[in-house]
Structures are given as structure tokens and as C-alpha cells.
């Protein structure tokens, strides 16, 4: 199944176009090295949480916006080879000197796909989600996702992807585990839902939440789940 490199970044709002250009310039470079799809989304409906949230995940400042983005690869071997090639490419060093955000607070990591419902395509809107899940509950989580993903598709989503942490490093300032306050024995799930538009997303969620099939016990601590709505600024 697809292998994912997931990212969450805090970007100054004033740098939106500079960030989009930076990502667009990098797109041809990363696709040259094996990326099959690259998506960058800009925070649009990203709520503050009581325990965890996207802004806390990357220590966002008041003037910064959250970017939720990912690379898709056919498998981990391709991803590992891609990263090795990129690290030895002089163009990578050049791009590293002109990033329009604080890279020290970027969180990133490799995730293996647990579930993919729907085909990749141009998304009009994206729900991004991070969850701390006990490693022992992997099958329970997959069973739950297998029930809910078709419901989201029924109510208008074009694609649902659930991924399980596979190569997620600890960071000096921020990282995925700290983002969701993961404890010993827990891992990180990085997932997203693609919609045709924000309007379709809002209508879809209203129907999903009213559906009695959504009543179930969660195999994780819902209070530490991070979520938000994002508008794509690049999808290649």
C-alpha cells in the first residue's frame, strides 16, 4: 500500500505565497526522486483544543498559520531511496537556505497506510487528523476506520486515508509524539479526509454526526485527538 511522509508546519500568514512558491519549486524535484503525489494545505478551520491542537503541535505564534501536507510513495523502499537522493542533491541545500518558515518547529515522519478508501485526485478541501493510539489497539483502530471511512464516502468525501507511524523521529523542539502527548505504548496515527469543497465537507460532517452508526467506543483517547480543516494550495 501507499507510504506517506507527513508534515505539519507553522508558516507566517504573510508568507503564504512565498510558501506556495517554495513548495511548487520543490515539487518537480521531489517527483523526480519518486514522490507520486505531493499535497500542501493551508489552515482554514483549525480550532484550538483544551488538551492538544495543531497550533500547539508546532508551537505556532499568533501570526502563523498551520500547514498540513504529505508526500505519497508507492512503498517505504522508494521513500527511503528518495530521501537519500534528496539529501545528496545540491539543490536541496539551496532550498534549505530559503525556507519561509521555522524548520526547527516542523514535525515530520514516515507512515504506513492502514486504510485507503477512494482514489487520489484533486481535493477541494481536506480534514487533517492526528491521534495517539495504543499500539495494542491497532486492529481495533483499523476495524473502526473500516466502518467509518465508507460513511464519510457515503456523505460526500472522495477519499479517506488512515496511516500508522512507522518511521517517526523524536525532535529536539517538536515532533508527532509530543503533538498528541503520546505515552509509552502509544503510537501516532496521521490521517486525512478529502472532500470536493468546504461546503461538501460541512454538509458531510453534519450528516455523519447525525448518523446513529457513529455511536461507538473509541480505541484511543479522543481528548488528545487533533483535527482541523485545510484548503489545498498545491496538489501535484
Amino acid at each position: 500500500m501507499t507510504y506517506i511522509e507527513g508534515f505539519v508546519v507553522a508558516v507566517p500568514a504573510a508568507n503564504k505565497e512565498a510558501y506556495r512558491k517554495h513548495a511548487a519549486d520543490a515539487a518537480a524535484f521531489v517527483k523526480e526522486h519518486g514522490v507520486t503525489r505531493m499535497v500542501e494545505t493551508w489552515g482554514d478551520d483549525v480550532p484550538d483544543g483544551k488538551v492538544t491542537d495543531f497550533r500547539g503541535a508546532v508551537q505556532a505564534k499568533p501570526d502563523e498559520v498551520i500547514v498540513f501536507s504529505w508526500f505519497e510513495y508507492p512503498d517505504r523502499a522508494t521513500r527511503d531511496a528518495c530521501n537519500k537522493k534528496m539529501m545528496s542533491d545540491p539543490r536541496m541545500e539551496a532550498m534549505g537556505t530559503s525556507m519561509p518558515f521555522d524548520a526547527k518547529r516542523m514535525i515530520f515522519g514516515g507512515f504506513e497506510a492502514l486504510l485507503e478508501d477512494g482514489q487520489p485526485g484533486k481535493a477541494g478541501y481536506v480534514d487533517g487528523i492526528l491521534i495517539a493510539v495504543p499500539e495494542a489497539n491497532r486492529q481495533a483502530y483499523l476495524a473502526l476506520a473500516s466502518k467509518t471511512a465508507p460513511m464519510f464516502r457515503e456523505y460526500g468525501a472522495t477519499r479517506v486515508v488512515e496511516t500508522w507511524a512507522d518511521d517517526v523521529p523524536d525532535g529536539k523542539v517538536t515532533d508527532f509524539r509530543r503533538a498528541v502527548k503520546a505515552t509509552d505504548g502509544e503510537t501516532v496515527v496521521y490521517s486525512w479526509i478529502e472532500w470536493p469543497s468546504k461546503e461538501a465537507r460541512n454538509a458531510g460532517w453534519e450528516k455523519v454526526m447525525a448518523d446513529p452508526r457513529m455511536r461507538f467506543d473509541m480505541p484511543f483517547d479522543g481528548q488528545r485527538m487533533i483535527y482541523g480543516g485545510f484548503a489545498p494550495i498545491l496538489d501535484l
Side-chain angles (χ1 to χ4, degrees):
M1 296 178 75
T2 307
Y3 196 84
I4 302 299
E5 190 90 60
F7 306 86
V8 180
V9 191
V11 181
N15 290 357
K16 181 176 182 178
E17 180 54 29
Y19 181 86
R20 190 205 62 76
K21 185 179 184 304
H22 178 83
D25 289 344
F29 171 75
V30 298
K31 292 190 77 174
E32 177 184 316
H33 290 303
V35 172
T36 58
R37 187 184 182 200
M38 172 182 176
V39 180
E40 301 279 350
T41 70
W42 191 259
D44 172 69
D45 181 17
V46 182
D48 293 335
K50 293 182 179 180
V51 181
T52 55
D53 56 39
F54 272 116
R55 296 190 64 81
V58 289
Q59 300 179 16
K61 299 175 182 178
D63 66 335
E64 292 179 327
V65 176
I66 304 303
V67 166
F68 180 91
S69 64
W70 70 88
F71 296 166
E72 298 184 26
Y73 297 91
D75 49 50
R76 177 169 177 175
T78 303
R79 175 264 198 171
D80 289 348
C82 176
N83 281 351
K84 185 176 181 180
K85 291 175 184 175
M86 286 195 294
M87 290 300 103
S88 61
D89 193 311
R91 293 174 293 173
M92 187 71 178
E93 182 177 355
M95 285 192 292
T97 62
S98 59
M99 292 188 289
F101 60 90
D102 178 8
K104 292 180 181 179
R105 289 182 286 127
M106 176 177 70
I107 60 178
F108 63 93
F111 297 80
E112 58 175 320
L114 275 179
L115 177 146
E116 296 178 69
D117 191 334
Q119 297 299 314
K122 295 289 184 180
Y125 203 79
V126 171
D127 277 308
I129 303 155
L130 304 178
I131 310 172
V133 180
E135 293 175 2
N137 290 356
R138 176 175 173 141
Q139 288 305 312
Y141 184 85
L142 177 57
L144 174 62
S146 297
K147 292 179 181 178
T148 58
M151 292 173 56
F152 282 106
R153 297 270 282 126
E154 178 183 340
Y155 293 128
T158 57
R159 189 183 185 213
V160 179
V161 179
E162 301 276 358
T163 73
W164 191 263
D166 173 65
D167 182 23
V168 178
D170 293 334
K172 293 182 179 180
V173 180
T174 55
D175 57 48
F176 274 112
R177 291 188 60 81
R178 273 184 270 191
V180 293
K181 301 186 185 301
T183 60
D184 289 344
E186 290 184 327
T187 194
V188 180
V189 163
Y190 177 101
S191 65
W192 71 88
I193 306 169
E194 299 178 30
W195 302 88
S197 65
K198 183 176 181 178
E199 292 73 21
R201 175 256 199 173
N202 290 344
W205 267 105
E206 184 175 349
K207 293 174 182 176
V208 165
M209 297 310 296
D211 194 310
R213 291 175 293 173
M214 282 294 286
R215 300 187 186 120
F216 44 72
D217 292 328
M218 294 186 292
F220 58 87
D221 178 8
Q223 292 186 331
R224 286 182 286 136
M225 180 173 69
I226 298 175
Y227 61 91
F230 297 82
I233 56 173
L234 187 72
D235 188 345
L236 300 172

